């Protein structure tokens, strides 16, 4: 690990967005201080001070300067510490990785939320959209060990939550979309990804993840009742 005590990361271990930054820093060998935040509130005075716009994790602080939003932070990490590059060298492949990252954080993530929070016909529509997204991602991983090729790259980090968190989203959300028979290459990628020591060692406990998602469900139900 490089001695980088001037790097601090505010986040929660259960957060898919925080874990992206953890993985990137560890893959690049950057030492950092982790400042745990309360997932239930996500609005500590320090967090509000460092991220007054969204008041959410993750936030990275480097040389006293804070930066938020996981996609933005990953770009900053790559440019600041080019060792062990996460982005493809080829401009087209780099742009393609950014495109699929936006797809995962946009259309696919919103589809998963719809399947998770909705009921009845809306839930079925959400599940269908998730399955369409999985099919598209399956097409991007065919013939490859990782989205980045033979080693973990930027897009693997962005899609990483699908490898672990998604199963608990399905369980708590009471739906099923992932099917190893329909998406064999994506299923193989999941196994390859979570077996990487840096990934495996940083995964949160299953019960903690499920507790967070149950909290989301309960909060949504309460808001709907009001």
């Amino acid at each position: 690990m490089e001695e980088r005590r001037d790097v601090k990361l505010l986040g929660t271990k259960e957060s898919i967005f925080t874990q992206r930054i953890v993985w990137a820093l560890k893959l690049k060998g950057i030492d950092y201080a982790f400042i745990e935040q309360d997932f239930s509130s996500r609005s500590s005075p320090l967090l509000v001070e460092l991220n007054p716009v969204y008041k959410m994790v993750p936030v990275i602080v480097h040389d006293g300067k804070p930066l938020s939003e996981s996609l933005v932070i990953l770009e900053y990490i790559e440019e600041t510490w080019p060792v062990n590059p996460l982005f493809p060298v080829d401009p087209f492949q780099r742009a393609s990785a950014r495109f699929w990252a936006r797809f995962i954080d946009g259309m696919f993530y919103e589809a998963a939320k719809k399947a998770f929070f909705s009921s009845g016909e809306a839930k079925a529509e959400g599940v269908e959209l998730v399955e369409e997204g999985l099919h598209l991602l399956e097409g991007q991983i065919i013939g490859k060990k990782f989205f980045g090729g033979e080693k973990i790259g930027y897009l693997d980090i962005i899609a990483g939550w699908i490898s672990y968190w998604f199963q608990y989203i399905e369980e708590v959300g009471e739906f099923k979309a992932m099917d190893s028979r329909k998406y064999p290459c994506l299923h193989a990628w999941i196994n390859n990804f979570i077996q990487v020591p840096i990934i495996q060692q940083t995964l949160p406990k299953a019960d903690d993840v499920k507790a967070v998602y149950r909290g989301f469900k309960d909060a949504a139900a309460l808001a709907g009742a009001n």
Side-chain angles (χ1 to χ4, degrees):
M1 282 284 186
E2 290 188 30
E3 288 297 325
R4 297 285 182 175
R5 294 296 181 183
D6 52 349
V7 178
K8 300 179 178 66
L9 174 61
L10 277 73
T12 60
K13 294 177 182 177
E14 298 81 18
S15 164
I16 61 177
F17 303 108
T18 296
Q19 284 301 320
R20 290 173 174 176
I21 312 308
V22 169
W23 295 335
L25 290 171
K26 287 184 175 293
L27 286 167
K28 285 181 171 289
I30 306 302
D31 196 14
Y32 65 97
F34 186 72
I35 304 175
E36 181 79 22
Q37 300 296 293
D38 183 355
F39 211 119
S40 61
S41 66
R42 292 188 286 179
S43 294
S44 71
L46 180 60
L47 182 58
V48 173
E49 176 189 346
L50 296 175
N51 186 7
V53 177
Y54 297 113
K55 305 178 181 65
M56 297 176 67
V57 297
V59 176
I60 193 172
V61 183
H62 183 216
D63 289 336
K65 296 175 288 188
L67 198 60
S68 62
E69 292 197 15
S70 64
L71 296 186
V72 175
I73 296 172
L74 288 174
E75 297 258 5
Y76 177 79
I77 290 172
E78 179 76 350
E79 293 177 8
T80 304
W81 298 288
V83 62
N84 299 329
L86 301 173
F87 282 80
V89 175
D90 179 76
F92 177 83
Q93 292 181 358
R94 192 161 58 245
S96 180
R98 288 190 176 103
F99 170 86
W100 286 105
R102 291 178 184 177
F103 167 78
I104 290 169
D105 273 14
M107 293 178 65
F108 187 76
Y109 186 70
E110 290 303 315
K113 285 172 62 177
K114 185 173 184 177
F116 182 83
F117 286 111
S118 301
S119 59
E121 185 176 335
K123 190 179 196 71
E125 291 174 354
V127 173
E128 184 177 350
L129 289 171
V130 168
E131 291 175 339
E132 290 176 3
L134 291 172
H135 176 73
L136 290 170
L137 292 174
E138 172 78 3
Q140 294 302 303
I141 196 67
I142 291 175
K144 295 187 287 187
K145 184 176 182 179
F146 298 109
F147 286 102
E150 288 301 309
K151 66 176 185 176
I152 289 178
Y154 170 73
L155 191 54
D156 296 282
I157 290 174
I158 300 302
W161 64 274
I162 300 172
S163 71
Y164 185 73
W165 284 258
F166 188 70
Q167 61 188 316
Y168 304 123
I169 292 174
E170 289 181 310
E171 180 180 337
V172 177
E174 299 179 313
F175 72 94
K176 185 65 178 175
M178 178 63 73
D179 187 331
S180 60
R181 295 167 298 180
K182 290 183 179 178
Y183 319 111
C185 297
L186 196 57
H187 179 71
W189 167 79
I190 288 172
N191 290 332
N192 290 329
F193 185 79
I194 62 176
Q195 287 174 8
V196 174
I198 282 177
I199 306 301
Q200 196 173 64
Q201 294 162 9
T202 55
L203 293 175
K205 295 179 180 178
D207 288 344
D208 292 342
V209 175
K210 287 189 281 188
V212 167
Y213 288 136
R214 290 192 188 102
F216 289 162
K217 287 278 283 188
D218 291 344
L222 183 61
N226 295 332

